[in-house]
Amino acid sequence: MSIYIGYKSDIIDCFISSETLRIKYTKLSQRQVDLIKSSWEMISDDLMKNSQLLFSKLMKEAPDSIDLFTFAKGSGMYNPNYELDMKRHSLKVVNAIGWAVSKCDRFDDIKPDLINLGERHRNYGLKLRYIRPMESVIMDLIKGYLGHLYTLEIEESWSVFLRVLLFSIFHPLLQKHISKRREKNFLPKF
């Protein structure tokens, strides 16, 4: 039985068995891989220099996401090292995106690492509702940095890539969400 979660397309199909959630991804075409890698090459330097834009935009779209960051918990922007800590963390995230881009043609090799990353972030308070804002923020930054070079084909390629990337990272949360719904009899048991 296939149950739709998040996006209605052939890009991502979520299947629920009696034990686990299995996410099946449509592979990126070679053209999509090339577009993602070449566009990342064009913007990565600028994005590294301005990495904190990623989180400032995310916090505008999902204000409670600030609670994900241990350096911001409780003290928020009153932490004297807040800006430096935010920049460090932003750089880590941009580097992680770059790492995933470099391996986007061999996604199955990195999927376990992304799921582990999601598990760690679940412990920090990651929520399912951050999937769409995170995708939107990254897409807006890519569009802004590429400017007139941004095309519909690049947008579609990045959209597929980010959905696969984010659904892998959010996999532990999806698993937990499905388990809770099953316990409450919202989902059929097999």
Side-chain angles (χ1 to χ4, degrees), residues 65-116:
S65 66
I66 195 167
D67 292 335
L68 285 171
F69 309 106
T70 55
F71 54 84
K73 283 192 177 180
S75 61
M77 296 186 192
Y78 302 110
N79 172 354
N81 297 319
Y82 177 84
E83 285 188 31
L84 180 61
D85 291 342
M86 180 60 77
K87 181 158 180 98
R88 281 186 195 138
H89 190 74
S90 301
L91 283 171
K92 285 181 188 177
V93 172
V94 171
N95 279 323
I97 294 170
W99 169 77
V101 165
S102 73
K103 307 216 181 262
C104 68
D105 52 344
R106 299 180 314 277
F107 194 78
D108 286 337
D109 295 346
I110 66 169
K111 190 164 64 169
D113 294 323
L114 294 171
I115 291 171
N116 287 335

Coordinates of all heavy atoms in Angstrom, one line a residue, residues 65-116:
S65 N 12.1 27.6 14.5 CA 13.3 26.8 14.1 C 14.5 27.3 14.8 O 15.5 26.5 14.9 CB 13.5 26.9 12.6 OG 13.9 28.2 12.2
I66 N 14.5 28.5 15.4 CA 15.7 28.9 16.2 C 16.0 28.0 17.4 O 17.1 27.8 17.8 CB 15.5 30.4 16.7 CG1 16.8 30.9 17.2 CG2 14.4 30.4 17.8 CD1 16.8 32.4 17.4
D67 N 14.9 27.2 17.8 CA 15.1 26.3 18.9 C 16.0 25.1 18.5 O 16.4 24.3 19.4 CB 13.8 25.8 19.5 CG 13.1 27.0 20.2 OD1 13.7 27.9 20.6 OD2 11.8 26.9 20.2
L68 N 16.2 24.9 17.2 CA 17.1 23.8 16.8 C 18.5 24.0 17.1 O 19.3 23.1 17.2 CB 17.0 23.6 15.2 CG 15.8 23.0 14.7 CD1 15.8 23.2 13.2 CD2 15.7 21.6 15.1
F69 N 18.9 25.3 17.3 CA 20.3 25.6 17.5 C 20.7 25.7 18.9 O 20.2 26.6 19.6 CB 20.6 26.9 16.7 CG 20.1 26.8 15.3 CD1 18.9 27.5 14.9 CD2 20.7 26.0 14.3 CE1 18.4 27.5 13.6 CE2 20.2 25.9 13.1 CZ 19.1 26.6 12.7
T70 N 21.5 24.8 19.4 CA 21.9 24.8 20.8 C 22.5 26.1 21.2 O 22.3 26.5 22.4 CB 22.9 23.7 21.0 OG1 24.0 23.8 20.2 CG2 22.3 22.3 20.8
F71 N 23.2 26.8 20.4 CA 23.8 28.1 20.8 C 22.7 29.2 20.9 O 23.0 30.2 21.5 CB 24.9 28.5 19.8 CG 24.4 28.6 18.4 CD1 23.8 29.7 17.9 CD2 24.7 27.5 17.5 CE1 23.4 29.7 16.6 CE2 24.3 27.5 16.2 CZ 23.6 28.7 15.7
A72 N 21.6 29.0 20.4 CA 20.5 30.0 20.5 C 19.4 29.6 21.6 O 18.6 30.5 21.9 CB 19.8 30.1 19.2
K73 N 19.4 28.4 22.0 CA 18.4 28.0 23.0 C 18.5 28.8 24.3 O 19.6 28.9 24.8 CB 18.5 26.5 23.3 CG 17.9 25.6 22.2 CD 17.8 24.2 22.6 CE 17.2 23.5 21.5 NZ 17.0 22.1 21.7
G74 N 17.4 29.3 24.7 CA 17.3 30.0 25.9 C 17.8 31.5 25.8 O 17.1 32.4 26.2
S75 N 19.0 31.6 25.2 CA 19.5 33.0 25.1 C 19.2 33.7 23.9 O 19.3 34.9 23.8 CB 21.0 32.9 25.3 OG 21.6 32.2 24.3
G76 N 18.8 32.9 22.8 CA 18.5 33.6 21.5 C 19.7 34.4 21.1 O 20.8 34.1 21.2
M77 N 19.3 35.6 20.6 CA 20.4 36.5 20.0 C 21.1 37.2 21.1 O 22.0 38.0 20.8 CB 19.7 37.4 19.0 CG 19.1 36.7 17.8 SD 18.6 37.9 16.6 CE 17.7 36.7 15.6
Y78 N 20.8 37.0 22.4 CA 21.6 37.6 23.5 C 22.9 36.9 23.8 O 23.7 37.4 24.5 CB 20.7 37.7 24.7 CG 19.4 38.4 24.5 CD1 18.2 37.8 24.4 CD2 19.4 39.8 24.2 CE1 17.0 38.4 24.2 CE2 18.3 40.5 23.9 CZ 17.1 39.8 23.9 OH 15.9 40.5 23.6
N79 N 23.1 35.7 23.2 CA 24.3 35.0 23.3 C 25.4 35.9 22.7 O 25.3 36.2 21.5 CB 24.2 33.6 22.6 CG 25.5 32.9 22.5 OD1 26.6 33.4 22.9 ND2 25.4 31.7 22.0
P80 N 26.5 36.2 23.4 CA 27.5 37.1 22.8 C 28.2 36.5 21.6 O 28.7 37.2 20.7 CB 28.5 37.3 24.0 CG 28.2 36.3 25.0 CD 26.8 35.9 24.8
N81 N 28.2 35.2 21.5 CA 28.8 34.5 20.4 C 27.8 34.0 19.3 O 28.1 33.3 18.4 CB 29.6 33.2 20.9 CG 30.7 33.6 21.8 OD1 31.4 34.6 21.5 ND2 30.9 32.8 22.8
Y82 N 26.5 34.5 19.4 CA 25.5 34.1 18.6 C 25.8 34.2 17.1 O 25.7 33.2 16.3 CB 24.2 34.9 18.9 CG 23.0 34.6 18.0 CD1 22.2 33.5 18.3 CD2 22.8 35.3 16.8 CE1 21.2 33.2 17.4 CE2 21.7 35.0 16.0 CZ 20.9 33.9 16.3 OH 19.9 33.6 15.4
E83 N 26.3 35.4 16.7 CA 26.6 35.6 15.2 C 27.7 34.7 14.8 O 27.6 34.1 13.7 CB 26.9 37.0 15.0 CG 25.6 37.9 15.0 CD 25.9 39.3 14.5 OE1 26.8 39.5 13.7 OE2 25.2 40.2 15.0
L84 N 28.7 34.5 15.6 CA 29.8 33.7 15.2 C 29.4 32.2 15.1 O 29.7 31.5 14.2 CB 31.0 33.8 16.2 CG 32.2 33.0 15.9 CD1 32.8 33.3 14.5 CD2 33.2 33.2 17.0
D85 N 28.6 31.8 16.1 CA 28.1 30.4 16.2 C 27.2 30.1 15.0 O 27.2 29.1 14.4 CB 27.4 30.1 17.5 CG 28.4 30.1 18.7 OD1 29.6 29.9 18.5 OD2 27.9 30.2 19.8
M86 N 26.3 31.1 14.7 CA 25.4 30.9 13.6 C 26.2 30.8 12.3 O 25.9 30.0 11.4 CB 24.4 32.1 13.5 CG 23.4 32.0 12.4 SD 22.4 30.6 12.4 CE 21.2 31.0 13.7
K87 N 27.2 31.6 12.1 CA 28.0 31.6 10.9 C 28.7 30.2 10.8 O 28.7 29.6 9.7 CB 29.0 32.7 10.8 CG 29.8 32.7 9.6 CD 30.4 34.0 9.3 CE 31.2 34.0 8.0 NZ 30.5 34.4 6.8
R88 N 29.2 29.7 11.9 CA 29.9 28.4 11.9 C 28.9 27.3 11.5 O 29.2 26.5 10.6 CB 30.5 28.1 13.2 CG 31.8 28.8 13.5 CD 32.3 28.3 14.9 NE 33.4 29.2 15.3 CZ 33.5 29.6 16.5 NH1 32.7 29.2 17.5 NH2 34.5 30.4 16.9
H89 N 27.8 27.4 12.0 CA 26.8 26.3 11.7 C 26.3 26.4 10.3 O 26.1 25.4 9.6 CB 25.6 26.3 12.7 CG 24.7 25.2 12.6 ND1 25.1 23.9 13.0 CD2 23.5 25.0 12.0 CE1 24.1 23.0 12.7 NE2 23.2 23.7 12.1
S90 N 26.1 27.7 9.9 CA 25.6 27.9 8.5 C 26.6 27.3 7.5 O 26.3 26.7 6.5 CB 25.4 29.4 8.2 OG 24.4 29.9 9.1
L91 N 27.9 27.6 7.8 CA 29.0 27.0 6.9 C 28.9 25.5 6.9 O 29.1 24.9 5.8 CB 30.3 27.5 7.4 CG 30.7 29.0 7.0 CD1 32.0 29.4 7.7 CD2 30.8 29.1 5.5
K92 N 28.7 24.9 8.0 CA 28.6 23.4 8.1 C 27.4 22.9 7.2 O 27.6 22.0 6.4 CB 28.3 22.9 9.5 CG 29.5 23.0 10.4 CD 29.1 22.4 11.8 CE 30.2 22.6 12.8 NZ 29.8 22.1 14.1
V93 N 26.3 23.6 7.2 CA 25.2 23.2 6.4 C 25.5 23.4 4.9 O 25.2 22.6 4.1 CB 23.9 24.0 6.8 CG1 22.7 23.7 5.9 CG2 23.5 23.6 8.3
V94 N 26.0 24.6 4.6 CA 26.4 24.8 3.2 C 27.4 23.7 2.7 O 27.3 23.2 1.6 CB 26.9 26.2 3.0 CG1 27.5 26.4 1.6 CG2 25.8 27.2 3.2
N95 N 28.4 23.4 3.5 CA 29.3 22.4 3.2 C 28.6 21.0 3.0 O 29.0 20.3 2.1 CB 30.4 22.3 4.2 CG 31.5 23.3 4.0 OD1 31.9 23.7 2.9 ND2 32.0 23.8 5.1
A96 N 27.7 20.7 3.8 CA 26.9 19.5 3.7 C 26.1 19.4 2.4 O 26.1 18.4 1.8 CB 26.0 19.3 4.9
I97 N 25.5 20.6 2.1 CA 24.8 20.6 0.8 C 25.8 20.4 -0.4 O 25.5 19.6 -1.3 CB 24.0 21.9 0.6 CG1 22.9 22.1 1.7 CG2 23.5 22.0 -0.8 CD1 22.3 23.4 1.7
G98 N 26.9 21.0 -0.3 CA 28.0 20.8 -1.3 C 28.4 19.4 -1.4 O 28.6 18.8 -2.5
W99 N 28.6 18.7 -0.2 CA 28.9 17.3 -0.2 C 27.9 16.5 -0.9 O 28.2 15.6 -1.7 CB 29.1 16.9 1.2 CG 29.3 15.4 1.4 CD1 30.4 14.6 1.2 CD2 28.3 14.5 1.9 NE1 30.1 13.3 1.5 CE2 28.8 13.2 2.0 CE3 27.0 14.7 2.4 CZ2 28.1 12.1 2.4 CZ3 26.2 13.6 2.8 CH2 26.8 12.4 2.8
A100 N 26.6 16.7 -0.6 CA 25.5 16.0 -1.2 C 25.4 16.3 -2.7 O 25.2 15.3 -3.5 CB 24.2 16.4 -0.5
V101 N 25.7 17.5 -3.1 CA 25.7 17.8 -4.5 C 26.8 17.0 -5.2 O 26.6 16.5 -6.3 CB 25.9 19.3 -4.8 CG1 26.3 19.6 -6.2 CG2 24.7 20.1 -4.4
S102 N 27.9 16.9 -4.6 CA 29.1 16.2 -5.2 C 28.7 14.7 -5.4 O 29.4 14.0 -6.2 CB 30.3 16.4 -4.4 OG 30.3 15.6 -3.2
K103 N 27.8 14.2 -4.7 CA 27.4 12.8 -4.7 C 26.0 12.6 -5.2 O 25.5 11.5 -5.1 CB 27.6 12.2 -3.3 CG 28.9 12.4 -2.7 CD 29.4 11.3 -1.9 CE 30.7 11.6 -1.3 NZ 31.8 11.0 -2.0
C104 N 25.4 13.6 -5.8 CA 24.0 13.4 -6.2 C 23.8 12.4 -7.3 O 22.7 11.9 -7.5 CB 23.4 14.8 -6.6 SG 24.1 15.5 -8.1
D105 N 24.9 12.0 -8.0 CA 24.7 10.9 -9.0 C 24.9 9.5 -8.4 O 24.6 8.5 -9.0 CB 25.7 11.1 -10.1 CG 27.2 11.3 -9.7 OD1 27.4 11.5 -8.5 OD2 28.1 11.1 -10.5
R106 N 25.2 9.5 -7.1 CA 25.4 8.2 -6.3 C 24.6 8.4 -5.0 O 25.1 8.1 -4.0 CB 26.8 7.9 -6.1 CG 27.7 7.7 -7.3 CD 29.1 7.4 -7.0 NE 29.8 8.3 -6.0 CZ 30.3 9.5 -6.2 NH1 30.2 10.0 -7.4 NH2 30.9 10.1 -5.2
F107 N 23.4 8.8 -5.1 CA 22.6 9.1 -3.9 C 22.5 8.0 -2.9 O 22.5 8.2 -1.7 CB 21.2 9.6 -4.3 CG 20.6 10.3 -3.1 CD1 20.9 11.6 -2.8 CD2 19.6 9.6 -2.4 CE1 20.4 12.2 -1.7 CE2 19.1 10.2 -1.3 CZ 19.4 11.5 -0.9
D108 N 22.3 6.7 -3.4 CA 22.2 5.6 -2.5 C 23.4 5.4 -1.6 O 23.2 4.9 -0.5 CB 21.9 4.3 -3.3 CG 20.5 4.2 -3.9 OD1 19.6 4.9 -3.4 OD2 20.3 3.5 -4.9
D109 N 24.5 5.9 -2.0 CA 25.7 5.8 -1.2 C 25.7 6.8 0.0 O 26.3 6.5 1.0 CB 27.0 6.2 -2.0 CG 27.3 5.2 -3.1 OD1 26.7 4.0 -3.1 OD2 28.1 5.5 -4.0
I110 N 25.0 7.9 -0.1 CA 25.0 8.8 1.0 C 23.7 8.8 1.8 O 23.6 9.5 2.8 CB 25.3 10.3 0.5 CG1 24.2 10.8 -0.4 CG2 26.6 10.3 -0.2 CD1 24.3 12.3 -0.8
K111 N 22.7 8.1 1.3 CA 21.4 8.1 2.0 C 21.5 7.7 3.5 O 20.9 8.4 4.3 CB 20.4 7.2 1.3 CG 19.0 7.4 1.8 CD 17.9 6.8 0.8 CE 18.1 5.3 0.7 NZ 17.0 4.7 0.0
P112 N 22.3 6.7 3.8 CA 22.4 6.3 5.3 C 23.0 7.5 6.1 O 22.6 7.7 7.2 CB 23.3 5.1 5.2 CG 23.2 4.5 3.9 CD 23.0 5.7 3.0
D113 N 24.0 8.2 5.5 CA 24.5 9.3 6.3 C 23.5 10.4 6.5 O 23.5 11.1 7.5 CB 25.7 9.9 5.5 CG 26.9 8.9 5.4 OD1 27.1 8.2 6.4 OD2 27.6 8.9 4.4
L114 N 22.7 10.7 5.5 CA 21.6 11.7 5.6 C 20.6 11.3 6.6 O 20.1 12.1 7.4 CB 21.0 12.0 4.2 CG 21.9 12.6 3.2 CD1 21.2 12.6 1.8 CD2 22.4 13.9 3.6
I115 N 20.2 10.0 6.7 CA 19.3 9.5 7.7 C 19.9 9.7 9.1 O 19.2 10.1 10.0 CB 18.9 8.1 7.3 CG1 18.0 8.1 6.1 CG2 18.1 7.5 8.5 CD1 17.7 6.7 5.5
N116 N 21.2 9.4 9.2 CA 21.8 9.6 10.5 C 21.8 11.1 10.9 O 21.6 11.4 12.1 CB 23.2 9.0 10.5 CG 23.3 7.5 10.5 OD1 22.3 6.9 11.0 ND2 24.3 7.0 10.0

